[in-house]
Amino acid sequence: MSKATRPSPNTPPRQPDVVRAEKLQAGYAGKAVCGVVSFSVHAGQSMALVGPNGAGKSTVVKTVVGQLEAVSGTAQVNGAEVDDRTLDFRRDVAVVFDDDAFFPALTVEEHLAIVAAGHGVEDVEEVIASELEFFGLTGQAKSRPYNLSSGQRRRMLLAAAFVRPRSLLVLDEPEQRLDTSMRHRLAGRLRAEVDAGLALLVVTHDPDFLSTVATKALFIADEVHSMTPKQAAVAIASENPHAD
């Protein structure tokens, strides 16, 4: 009779998955736009999704967070089927996609205050001031979003994700419309938060950004396969040799 295998006392315990996709097909009207996707990300990991333009990367992440219905397969966040209507999901997951979603009548500062207060943040004014400073928006705090440049609006949306608690952060090409300095600062901050326990899912076309942020990568196309961050950065650079 064989004995059950016991883990070595030097083996670290397996981390629970923050986000997990199982045989997931993402698409529209029941038609998949890319291959079958299976992956997991736990606390302290960051998964970068890379691939050609139009391959379905954004569709995959929107499906993972419940903004689109899956063609087939499943997605879970913190062990529960994805349902972006639930309090637990909205408490745990912060997302920034490549669209300008804002209230025209509210200032930048008011947007951040609503998000922070709505998620039970203490010292709201102090937290907002810190994010405005980090994202270079202190001078625009009283401005309305439609008076900002596209890059400033992008920074406002990113600030709204950082101003609140989250166990999973999902970003769709966060480097877009940011200058080189801000890209580097954002990448460094994201990696520091991942190292501190954040789970991150990010779509990116920037090899330098990916190299800093990602702990693993997934190539999205007709066939989906895992990559190391180094392999993914090379793949991105080969698709866009003029990337800065």
Side-chain angles (χ1 to χ4, degrees), residues 55-77:
K57 302 179 296 296
S58 297
T59 306
V60 168
V61 292
K62 287 182 178 180
T63 304
V64 167
V65 299
Q67 292 193 7
L68 293 174
E69 184 176 352
V71 174
S72 63
T74 61
Q76 293 184 333
V77 171

Side-chain angles (χ1 to χ4, degrees), residues 109 112-113 116 121-132 163:
E109 188 175 50
L112 301 187
V121 173
E122 298 180 358
D123 302 321
V124 170
E125 291 184 2
E126 180 180 341
V127 171
I128 290 173
S130 177
E131 296 305 334
L132 289 172
V163 83

Side-chain angles (χ1 to χ4, degrees), residues 144-210:
R144 292 182 173 84
Y146 56 77
N147 289 324
L148 303 178
S149 69
S150 63
Q152 289 170 332
R153 284 196 299 273
R154 185 64 164 171
R155 283 182 269 147
M156 182 193 77
L157 295 175
L158 289 166
F162 280 96
V163 83
R164 49 154 294 183
R166 63 230 171 252
S167 63
L168 173 63
L169 180 59
V170 181
L171 303 175
D172 188 3
E173 299 187 43
E175 74 276 7
Q176 294 297 311
R177 293 178 277 162
L178 301 182
D179 61 33
T180 301
S181 175
M182 179 55 68
R183 288 186 186 192
H184 290 163
R185 292 186 65 203
L186 178 62
R189 181 174 179 182
L190 286 170
R191 185 51 187 257
E193 294 209 8
V194 168
D195 291 342
L198 177 72
L200 174 66
L201 188 60
V202 58
V203 175
T204 181
H205 285 282
D206 185 321
D208 292 332
F209 189 90
L210 180 148

